[in-house]
Amino acid sequence: METVKIYLSGGMGSLSFEEQSKWRRQVIDAIKFGGYDYEKKPVFFNPVDYYNFTEVKYKTQREVMEFDLNALRKSDLVIVNFNDPKSLGTCAELSIAYEMKIPIIGINKDGHELHSWIECFCNRMCNDLKEAVEHITEFYLN
């Protein structure tokens, strides 16, 4: 079965570990166990699973950045949650994904005002997680 590597981008530094993790788990569970039919197998990269700000396993921020960006560059799709619209790391990830022509699906459930360039980076902006999952399963996993 062909795979689709999905990178889960979104704010981390100004959010609690639970806020960083919850939406990512919800996306994974909704796609894997939501009853959707798809032909391609989703493989997720969740940055929180590797480096986080509560359990320091790194020596420098550059180590974290390079690890995450390496995974991003190998991805076929990016899902970004604009739960922290001022996150510089998220902005960097999106610009790299955009430059590499990796499709980006945005989730802006809180209706944050986003810079026009950020909106342009996204192939589709969704109002909630359900809309994003339905779009991804229909257009990227089939």
Side-chain angles (χ1 to χ4, degrees):
M1 176 183 267
E2 185 181 347
T3 62
V4 175
K5 297 176 186 167
I6 301 173
Y7 186 94
L8 301 173
S9 178
M12 291 178 67
S14 67
L15 302 173
S16 70
F17 181 75
E18 181 57 28
E19 291 170 316
Q20 296 169 29
S21 301
K22 182 178 179 181
W23 77 267
R24 289 175 168 97
R25 285 192 315 266
Q26 289 173 331
V27 166
I28 293 168
D29 289 348
I31 291 174
K32 284 186 168 182
F33 310 114
Y36 297 98
D37 290 324
Y38 45 83
E39 298 172 9
K40 300 173 187 170
K41 178 183 177 186
V43 177
F44 297 93
F45 180 85
N46 180 355
V48 180
D49 289 343
Y50 300 94
Y51 291 107
N52 61 66
F53 300 106
T54 58
E55 185 182 358
V56 178
K57 295 181 177 180
Y58 54 88
K59 289 188 177 185
T60 67
Q61 284 296 319
R62 181 175 181 159
E63 175 186 339
V64 176
M65 178 188 72
E66 292 291 346
F67 183 82
D68 288 352
L69 294 180
N70 184 50
L72 172 71
R73 289 183 187 102
K74 294 177 182 177
S75 297
D76 301 306
L77 178 68
V78 173
I79 301 172
V80 57
N81 186 344
F82 291 104
N83 52 355
D84 180 8
K86 297 190 185 312
S87 168
L88 294 178
T90 301
C91 188
E93 289 172 346
L94 296 184
S95 63
I96 291 167
Y98 180 81
E99 187 65 23
M100 294 191 66
K101 300 186 181 349
I102 300 169
I104 301 167
I105 306 302
I107 302 169
N108 189 10
K109 75 176 184 78
D110 295 326
H112 292 291
E113 186 173 333
L114 303 173
H115 190 282
S116 60
W117 285 24
I118 296 296
E119 290 184 10
C120 288
F121 284 157
C122 295
N123 296 79
R124 176 146 181 161
M125 186 66 73
C126 300
N127 295 320
D128 57 36
L129 189 139
K130 183 178 187 218
E131 179 187 351
V133 168
E134 288 174 355
H135 180 73
I136 290 161
T137 55
E138 182 176 355
F139 289 94
Y140 294 94
L141 298 178
N142 283 309

